[in-house]
Amino acid sequence: MDQHHLIVAIALIGLAGIGAQWVAWRTGWPAIALMLIAGIILGPVTGLLHPHEDFGALLEPIVSVAVAIILFEGGLSLRFSELKKAGDAIKRLVVIGVPVAWAAGAAALYYIAGFEWPVAILFAGILVVTGPTVIMPLLRQTNLSQRPKAILKWEGIVNDPIGALLAVITYEYLVQAQAGSTFIDNMIGLFFSIIVAGAMGYGAAYAVRWTFPRGLVPEFLKAPVLLVFVIGTFVLSNLIQQETGLLAVTVMGIALANMKLSSARTYLPFKENITILLVSGVFIILSASLDLDALAQFQGRWFLFLLALLFVVRPLTVFISLAFTKVPWREQIFIGWIAPRGIVAVAITGLFALRLDEIGYQGGQYLVTLAFAVVAATIIAHGFTIKPLARILGLHGGPSNGVLIVGGQSFSFSLAKMLLRLGVPVTIADTGWQRLGPARAAGIPIFHGEILSEATEDELDFAQFQALVATTDNEAYNALVCSEFAHEIGSDAVYQLGDAAGDDPHALSESLRGRALFSKGHGVEDVAAAETKGWTLRAIDLTIRHDFKDALSRLPEEADLLFILREDGRLRFITHASQPEGRPGDIIVAYCPPGTPELHLEVTDKADEEEDESEEVK
């Protein structure tokens, strides 16, 4: 293998992996499916990639380090405090469901797929993982009711490291058994390995917790130092006790997630970026290594195994776990069907498939192929049926076209009332109970608490909001809120009160703030002054008789457009940088000075209709 060809191979892997992620973002299709297709095209179909030949002896170390970092990232998502809030259903799915899924999956692999027991037990442990990288996008796209959504979300997060632990522990046992040890010796060696890995992982996490807050590592080096810590823990643990590195980094991630570390926000974005790169690379490498002819070796047994996994193992796991609970049968049926496997399952399988043959167990060469078959089958089966099944079972959540308003100010209540009048769901969030008094009196939904708190994500479902508007009297806080939730809601859907940066070198950077409301860029103080003078929001519906220009001509010269409500319920806020035009059927809302007459508006809410009827009766 010449150097030029290796560079081309690395470039192809990067382009295919990140390119698939980008296409998934643009189209909403599952990224894992696109990466699978890209890898198969580059590998078995065109022969442009031959990972075993291209990387040679480096292939296993590359995959090993990548999987170690992926498992560390998975461990970082597991917080014990959040697990307690997840409810009894999650605990039962972990305590009861994991052993049931492990045992039933191993039996299906042995009796149906034809694997020998050691390989079946190891692979069944990996299949316990329900793929948080796949289930989360599906949940965001489906708009489920709260309980089944929370159960599926937390099951995926919790089982992610658990499945890895089961696979690593099983592999440790197989290594001990292959050495000719007795059962008791195997269990002692396994226990010792777990202790070593646990101590190494917790020790590394504690070292990070001790050094970072004391200023021993500068901010710009914290993310790289953490990455080195993870790789170092993986390597050192393997040197002390062979094959304990994966277990150690998983423990390190879990331990670090449950330590209060103020600098976590510094390295988490970098950690996520590194994980995306590694996941994309590993997935392309493994899918390009697929031997499609290996499917013929199963002689149809793989298809029967997939049917058993979908229609027997998963439903059995859920029904046994959630028996005699408060979870309704409709939700149990839905949860019993939805269990897509994802990137973590394939990555771990690919690593152990490289090692099983080395310790004398047959079937390792088929594991990657079967793992991809499981991933493809579950993504297709669950991805295309989750919405229809939710609709049939009546598990659709509330509308997803709402607006979250942060700040209990006079302008906030005016905006909320206007949106509700137009049929747009609204929630007002503020830390002050008294400031939320007018909203409570008007029957407007509220969220009492700090919107930037980590617990907010568990208490407030952001999937219901199409936009966030920060309207507090603190421009910097508004910018912080928008910056925090731009990733969750979308950078083009977070807005704030506050002057646009313009050419002022002392103003907040555009990258650190939301889009400034109003085409004239009214600031916090401008709006506060306007509220005291009695400015109000006025709405005009655009019809054939009243086009956009005609509607604007009916507004006072001082008035400023705030948003346009499309016929399909989408909101387009007017900002200093984006000023969309209205179309027939839209409703435009403007901020007008006192004395502006009530403008023609055909849309009225039920409260207005009832009030009109009562006036007629009087």
Side-chain angles (χ1 to χ4, degrees):
M1 173 58 58
D2 59 74
Q3 184 179 6
H4 176 72
H5 187 84
L6 182 59
I7 294 175
V8 171
I10 295 173
L12 285 174
I13 291 170
L15 288 173
I18 301 303
Q21 297 270 9
W22 183 84
V23 173
W25 167 72
R26 292 291 298 176
T27 62
W29 298 341
I32 191 172
L34 295 174
M35 286 190 289
L36 173 60
I37 294 172
I40 292 177
I41 292 174
L42 291 176
V45 175
T46 63
L48 294 175
L49 283 181
H50 297 281
H52 287 280
E53 299 177 7
D54 295 341
F55 295 97
L58 290 176
L59 180 60
E60 183 178 341
I62 290 173
V63 175
S64 298
V65 173
V67 170
I69 297 172
I70 292 170
L71 292 181
F72 168 75
E73 192 271 341
L76 278 178
S77 62
L78 179 55
R79 295 182 178 89
F80 296 135
S81 59
E82 296 175 352
L83 180 58
K84 294 178 182 177
K85 301 176 184 177
D88 184 61
I90 300 299
K91 297 175 184 176
R92 292 175 67 97
L93 282 171
V94 173
V95 176
I96 300 175
V98 167
V100 171
W102 195 10
L109 285 164
Y110 178 77
Y111 290 107
I112 300 177
F115 286 99
E116 54 182 322
W117 273 116
V119 178
I121 294 172
L122 186 146
F123 190 47
I126 296 173
L127 292 183
V128 167
V129 176
T130 53
T133 55
V134 181
I135 191 65
M136 299 299 282
L138 287 181
L139 295 179
R140 282 195 294 267
Q141 298 169 10
T142 308
N143 189 26
L144 280 174
S145 54
Q146 190 61 34
R147 181 164 49 193
K149 186 175 186 177
I151 290 175
L152 288 171
K153 168 190 171 183
W154 284 108
E155 183 194 16
I157 291 174
V158 174
N159 283 354
D160 192 29
I162 288 179
L165 290 175
L166 294 179
V168 172
I169 290 173
T170 303
Y171 181 76
E172 282 294 314
Y173 180 84
L174 296 182
V175 170
Q176 297 286 342
Q178 194 64 23
S181 305
T182 64
F183 177 78
I184 296 178
D185 291 336
N186 289 341
M187 297 306 296
I188 293 175
L190 181 62
F191 179 76
F192 179 74
S193 298
I194 294 174
I195 294 297
V196 170
M200 289 291 301
Y202 185 84
Y206 187 83
V208 172
R209 180 179 179 272
W210 191 87
T211 56
F212 278 21
R214 286 170 170 78
L216 299 177
V217 179
E219 288 296 322
F220 74 95
L221 280 181
K222 284 183 177 178
V225 166
L226 180 64
L227 181 63
V228 172
F229 260 96
V230 174
I231 298 175
T233 301
F234 171 69
V235 174
L236 186 59
S237 183
N238 278 339
L239 291 176
I240 295 175
Q241 180 68 23
Q242 189 177 9
E243 306 301 343
T244 59
L246 294 178
L247 186 57
V249 294
T250 306
V251 173
M252 179 184 175
I254 296 173
L256 199 59
N258 292 278
M259 295 177 179
K260 294 182 179 180
L261 197 61
S262 59
S263 57
R265 292 183 181 272
T266 303
Y267 62 74
L268 284 180
F270 178 80
K271 177 266 301 180
E272 292 172 354
N273 293 336
I274 287 293
T275 303
I276 290 175
L277 287 171
L278 292 176
V279 161
S280 303
V282 169
F283 209 83
I284 295 297
I285 288 174
L286 294 177
S287 56
S289 304
L290 282 177
D291 182 6
L292 299 182
D293 295 333
L295 291 177
Q297 300 293 330
F298 288 96
Q299 299 177 350
R301 290 180 297 175
W302 66 275
F303 182 72
L304 295 177
F305 166 74
L306 293 177
L307 292 179
L309 187 68
L310 292 171
F311 295 100
V312 179
V313 176
R314 175 61 179 179
L316 184 68
T317 300
V318 172
F319 295 153
I320 291 178
S321 302
L322 301 183
F324 309 109
T325 65
K326 296 181 180 179
V327 180
W329 64 268
R330 291 181 304 167
E331 295 182 7
Q332 291 192 31
I333 292 176
F334 185 83
I335 297 168
W337 171 244
I338 303 300
R341 273 65 172 185
I343 294 172
V344 174
V346 172
I348 301 172
T349 302
L351 176 60
F352 287 118
L354 296 172
R355 299 182 177 181
L356 280 174
D357 291 335
E358 297 176 2
I359 60 175
Y361 289 98
Q362 300 296 322
Q365 68 273 24
Y366 303 125
L367 282 186
V368 175
T369 303
L370 187 56
F372 272 105
V374 170
V375 168
T378 53
I379 286 177
I380 293 173
H382 302 147
F384 288 99
T385 60
I386 185 170
K387 288 184 179 180
L389 184 60
R391 191 180 305 111
I392 293 172
L393 295 175
L395 298 179
H396 266 291
S400 59
N401 62 335
V403 175
L404 175 62
I405 301 175
V406 180
Q409 315 299 324
S410 175
F411 175 76
S412 310
F413 303 132
S414 300
L415 175 59
K417 290 177 182 178
M418 176 57 73
L419 289 171
L420 289 174
R421 182 183 177 190
L422 300 177
V424 179
V426 177
T427 300
I428 296 182
D430 200 292
T431 56
W433 183 252
Q434 292 182 342
R435 287 195 296 271
L436 290 172
R440 289 184 283 115
I444 301 173
I446 65 170
F447 173 79
H448 178 226
E450 175 53 65
I451 196 70
L452 296 175
S453 171
E454 291 184 1
T456 300
E457 187 176 353
D458 302 330
E459 302 173 15
L460 199 60
D461 182 15
F462 286 92
Q464 63 184 302
F465 303 120
Q466 63 170 311
L468 178 148
V469 183
T471 59
T472 73
D473 55 5
N474 187 325
E475 181 182 354
Y477 181 80
N478 292 340
L480 180 61
V481 170
C482 291
S483 176
E484 177 69 21
F485 292 102
H487 178 71
E488 184 78 29
I489 299 177
S491 59
D492 58 341
V494 289
Y495 306 89
Q496 72 169 91
L497 281 180
D499 296 328
D503 298 327
D504 185 0
H506 302 290
L508 286 172
S509 170
E510 294 289 342
S511 61
L512 299 176
R513 54 177 294 126
R515 298 191 173 190
L517 292 173
F518 300 109
S519 59
K520 299 177 183 178
H522 290 312
V524 170
E525 295 179 358
D526 298 330
V527 172
E531 287 293 308
T532 60
K533 295 177 182 178
W535 280 52
T536 55
L537 293 174
R538 297 296 188 218
I540 308 176
D541 61 317
L542 302 182
T543 63
I544 297 177
R545 291 178 301 147
H546 301 292
D547 60 13
F548 187 59
K549 292 183 179 179
D550 176 58
L552 294 182
S553 67
R554 301 175 64 194
L555 295 171
E557 185 178 351
E558 302 90 346
D560 202 355
L561 291 183
L562 179 57
F563 66 81
I564 297 175
L565 178 63
R566 303 295 191 194
E567 278 190 293
D568 58 3
R570 291 184 300 113
L571 280 172
R572 296 293 305 275
F573 279 90
I574 311 298
T575 71
H576 67 289
S578 175
Q579 300 178 25
E581 291 193 1
R583 302 189 292 257
D586 292 348
I587 297 174
I588 63 173
V589 174
Y591 198 40
C592 302
T596 304
E598 185 70 36
L599 303 172
H600 177 64
L601 179 65
E602 295 179 354
V603 179
T604 57
D605 59 12
K606 293 183 179 180
D608 291 336
E609 294 175 356
E610 293 174 358
E611 185 176 346
D612 293 340
E613 291 176 0
S614 63
E615 290 292 334
E616 292 177 2
V617 172
K618 291 180 181 179

